[in-house]
Amino acid sequence: PGTAAAPQTGMPVKITDGADVVYFWGTIETLTISIPTATTAVFYGIKCTDYSKVLERHLVADSYQDLSILAIVNRIMEDHVNNPLYDPEGITFTYNMVDDDSANIEEIRFNYVTAKDALDKLALLGTGTKIYYWYVDSSRKLNFIEKTTATAATALTDTAPSIAIAD
């Protein structure tokens, strides 16, 4: 049998259904190694985080007036997360002004909060049927989208095709 590379912090991790559905894609945050006595096996305990963790490294200290929720999301991503002056993180967000029917915000201030916290607050500002949620997908794209219906949870197993360290 072949040998696999030992996991390391920062290494990408992808959890799938063994086919096309990706349940999780992120990186190893912490790693523990144990070698039980009376065996030659090595066990790795890993704690992973998804790519939204990147948004916790950027502070937003800004105010916005008379902009839609999606326009504010776009400004936060451009001015605070992907600003080339601040070492852009590669989290993309595509804003389409023509299709923007999100609520207009008269004024909102963010006083040195993380970009993640700012997005959480904006997601809660939707009105009526326009309620939002967000996530960063496996291609590092921010999806700030309208919540339509709840989806049922999917059970994951620890079988080989479901869980693997991404190459």
Side-chain angles (χ1 to χ4, degrees):
T3 58
Q8 298 175 11
T9 57
M11 186 178 265
V13 173
K14 181 179 182 181
I15 300 175
T16 71
D17 66 351
D20 296 333
V21 178
V22 176
Y23 295 111
F24 174 84
W25 198 326
T27 58
I28 296 174
E29 187 172 79
T30 60
L31 174 71
T32 58
I33 302 170
S34 62
I35 304 173
T37 55
T39 181
T40 58
V42 177
F43 292 90
Y44 297 97
I46 61 172
K47 179 180 175 186
C48 298
T49 184
D50 67 10
Y51 288 126
S52 66
K53 186 81 169 178
V54 168
L55 299 172
E56 293 178 10
R57 294 195 293 258
H58 297 274
L59 292 179
V60 179
D62 223 329
S63 62
Y64 303 95
Q65 294 85 28
D66 296 317
L67 291 171
S68 71
I69 292 172
L70 293 177
I72 296 170
V73 169
N74 187 57
R75 294 275 299 275
I76 289 170
M77 295 303 294
E78 286 181 352
D79 297 345
H80 300 283
V81 178
N82 286 324
N83 185 325
L85 299 175
Y86 306 122
D87 187 28
E89 292 281 0
I91 303 294
T92 61
F93 177 69
T94 304
Y95 175 63
N96 183 343
M97 188 170 50
V98 174
D99 294 333
D100 184 357
D101 61 351
S102 61
N104 200 58
I105 305 300
E106 187 174 312
E107 182 176 15
I108 189 166
R109 293 178 189 269
F110 298 107
N111 295 316
Y112 296 96
V113 300
T114 65
K116 177 189 177 300
D117 290 341
L119 293 177
D120 286 344
K121 185 171 186 175
L122 288 167
L124 296 174
L125 293 179
T127 58
T129 59
K130 296 285 185 186
I131 305 297
Y132 298 92
Y133 72 101
W134 66 269
Y135 64 95
V136 178
D137 67 21
S138 59
S139 61
R140 291 183 168 222
K141 177 184 175 198
L142 172 67
N143 294 273
F144 194 95
I145 54 181
E146 186 179 339
K147 183 185 272 187
T148 52
T149 58
T151 58
T154 303
L156 298 177
T157 65
D158 61 356
T159 57
S162 295
I163 300 175
I165 295 175
D167 294 326

